[in-house]
């Protein structure tokens, strides 16, 4: 699986205005790269296929991020 930081940032830059226009507050909108079919970065990044992702993404996994929001 390829993990290209430039492509991720491009997708985020396209989605931000759309989400803002749709009524989502920017401070409550977060992006997390995931490989859902392979389970990469959903709960952990231990899979060897996540090595390329780990080179540039150091943020939380999707489950960790959802847990942070649940605590607020």
């Amino acid at each position: 699986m390829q993990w290209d930081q430039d492509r991720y940032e491009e997708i985020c830059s396209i989605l931000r205005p759309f989400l803002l226009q749709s009524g989502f507050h920017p401070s409550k909108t977060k992006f997390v790269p995931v490989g859902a079919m392979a389970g990469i970065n959903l709960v952990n990044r231990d899979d060897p296929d996540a090595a390329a992702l780990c080179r540039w993404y150091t943020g939380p996994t999707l489950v960790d991020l959802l847990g942070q929001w649940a605590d607020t």
Side-chain angles (χ1 to χ4, degrees):
M1 179 172 284
Q2 295 180 358
W3 294 97
D4 185 63
Q5 183 176 6
D6 291 334
R7 179 67 175 142
Y8 169 76
E9 290 173 3
E10 177 186 358
I11 292 168
C12 292
S13 69
I14 292 169
L15 284 174
R16 276 187 189 95
F18 171 77
L19 293 172
L20 182 60
Q21 184 179 17
S22 299
F24 289 88
H25 195 279
S27 69
K28 295 184 178 185
T29 305
K30 307 290 183 202
F31 295 92
V32 177
V34 297
M37 295 297 287
I40 297 171
N41 208 34
L42 294 175
V43 177
N44 59 51
R45 289 185 288 270
D46 297 336
D47 192 285
D49 289 335
L53 173 64
C54 292
R55 282 187 226 126
W56 59 268
Y57 181 77
T58 59
T61 65
L62 181 60
V63 170
D64 289 340
L65 183 63
L66 293 173
Q68 291 170 7
W69 281 353
D71 293 338
T72 58

